[in-house]
Amino acid sequence: MNKTNKRAIVIGGSLGGLFTGILLQSIGWEVHIYERSSHSLDSRGGGIVLQPEIVEAFERAGVAYQQPFGVVAHERFYLNQDGSIATNMPMRQTLTSWNLLYGTMRRHFPAERYHQGKALTKVTQDDEQVTAIFADGTSDTADLLIGADGANSTVRKLLLPNHNPDYAGYVAYRGLVDEKELDAETAAMLAERFVFYQFPNSHILQYVIPGDNESLVPGERRFNWVWYVNYDETTELTPILTDKNGKRRDYSIPPGTIDPEVEQQMRLYANQVLAPPFQRLVAATKEPFVQAILDLTVPQMAFNRIALVGDAAFIPRPHTAAGASKAAANAIALADALVNQNHDVKKALNEWEPDQLRLGMYLRKAGQALGERSQFTHGKERFVNSNENAA
């Protein structure tokens, strides 16, 4: 790797920011990542399907990672209402975790260049450089600034103030259960399989991921589940996104902070409508969490010396299993464009942007189609388990 004397600022220290950081570092750039949170990021999102772009990003960046890089599921099960197997099909996939990806990249990225508790307030740029100004009064200047600060991106709000995420009409309840916390019969059915239960206007899925300590040892791993449930934005969403301290969150409630009444309603509903193995999985979950499903599209990702990547630009619905891999793809393509253009930032961003816009739009449309089919085939209401299958 040849040093380029080029410097990049990355706003956002989650997966998108780290993918960008390690890829730019691998082509000789000095990279500084600025994360608004002052505490360590942890368990934000549970399980992730390991897509090829993630592996490619790690290999290109020279990241040392364990093999296998997740838990291998060998088949898919679709369950009947009574919990019996309706369909099974061979389908090999590797399932990893947010924690494992984040931890692996953090260990690879220089700690002294990862700055926490840094909330961006302003960005200025000219033909030669770009400057980030933070709430604590500090600033940093570089050749390139990357907005990798997620759905609630400050960089996007500064550049495209009228482009914000839209609520898709449903939320994902999520949970993680240590293997040893689930009864043996249910664990045997769910382990090392991708398991689904579908019913009108909803579905739930689960797979096994590395454990809290990144362990892949059977018995030390976790069951990861995601359940999509419709809620009306005007009349129902606000209580779901108000945490146990009464704070209205923008898009998600982290583990341990969901309002007890919302949690109780979710658990009662699970017992009414889910197949028994999923009822037991939800019951074994100590700290469920919830996130609103969002759509976000931007018309532009490159702005002179600034680029938007990952969820700061496009938010694909989770049915595509492409959130993390899109961020990795954005970063890989950016590194390629910079090398192709001899590290001329503006030429590189002009080369990079069109394909990334196309990728974002493709995933947006694919995710919407999957979500509409899953959640709204029978109207927009929640399913009620009765003889009439009424909503």
Side-chain angles (χ1 to χ4, degrees), residues 142-351:
D143 301 283
L144 170 66
L145 184 142
I146 305 296
D149 46 347
N152 210 15
S153 169
T154 301
V155 181
R156 186 188 67 247
K157 289 174 182 175
L158 291 170
L159 297 168
L160 296 169
N162 297 320
H163 287 79
N164 296 304
D166 295 319
Y167 174 58
Y170 55 107
V171 306
Y173 286 112
R174 305 189 66 157
L176 299 166
V177 178
D178 291 343
E179 274 187 292
K180 61 182 180 293
E181 300 290 332
L182 194 62
D183 69 277
E185 181 186 354
T186 307
M189 170 184 266
L190 300 181
E192 296 177 20
R193 296 186 176 104
F194 215 132
V195 183
F196 294 78
Y197 174 58
Q198 300 169 306
F199 57 100
N201 285 2
S202 187
H203 71 282
I204 187 169
L205 60 92
Q206 79 80 41
Y207 49 85
V208 177
I209 64 173
D212 187 32
N213 56 357
E214 302 181 14
S215 176
L216 295 171
V217 177
E220 298 179 3
R221 304 168 302 184
R222 284 170 155 177
F223 295 97
N224 167 83
W225 59 267
V226 186
W227 180 21
Y228 299 104
V229 181
N230 296 352
Y231 289 98
D232 181 80
E233 181 171 16
T234 305
T235 61
E236 298 179 309
L237 186 62
T238 292
I240 305 294
L241 293 180
T242 300
D243 68 20
K244 66 182 183 182
N245 300 314
K247 180 183 177 183
R248 171 62 155 88
R249 304 281 187 134
D250 287 328
Y251 307 120
S252 63
I253 306 286
T257 59
I258 197 168
D259 180 85
E261 188 173 327
V262 170
E263 181 178 342
Q264 183 183 22
Q265 289 172 353
M266 181 274 291
R267 292 183 183 278
L268 288 171
Y269 187 46
N271 289 333
Q272 291 170 7
V273 298
L274 296 182
F278 281 109
Q279 291 179 8
R280 293 191 286 270
L281 186 61
V282 171
T285 304
K286 292 176 180 173
E287 292 189 336
F289 52 112
V290 64
Q291 63 193 71
I293 302 304
L294 306 172
D295 291 314
L296 174 67
T297 301
V298 295
Q300 187 178 350
M301 292 171 70
F303 307 79
N304 195 23
R305 291 183 170 273
I306 303 172
L308 296 174
V309 303
D311 285 354
F314 287 87
I315 301 178
R317 295 194 196 177
H319 321 295
T320 62
S325 63
K326 178 174 67 67
N330 290 161
I332 291 166
L334 179 60
D336 283 347
L338 286 163
V339 171
N340 290 346
Q341 297 297 337
N342 198 27
H343 304 280
D344 182 309
V345 168
K346 288 186 278 189
K347 287 182 180 177
L349 292 185
N350 285 338
E351 174 187 319

Side-chain angles (χ1 to χ4, degrees), residues 56-103:
E56 181 181 350
F58 279 22
E59 291 180 347
R60 285 199 187 201
V63 175
Y65 62 93
Q66 59 181 306
Q67 292 281 7
F69 198 54
V71 180
V72 176
H74 299 281
E75 56 191 339
R76 285 193 172 196
F77 280 3
Y78 291 84
L79 302 186
N80 291 311
Q81 187 175 352
D82 64 2
S84 61
I85 298 163
T87 310
N88 72 12
M89 59 181 72
M91 184 177 288
R92 182 184 169 89
Q93 287 181 286
T94 301
L95 296 319
T96 190
S97 67
W98 187 99
N99 279 2
L100 184 54
L101 295 183
Y102 176 79

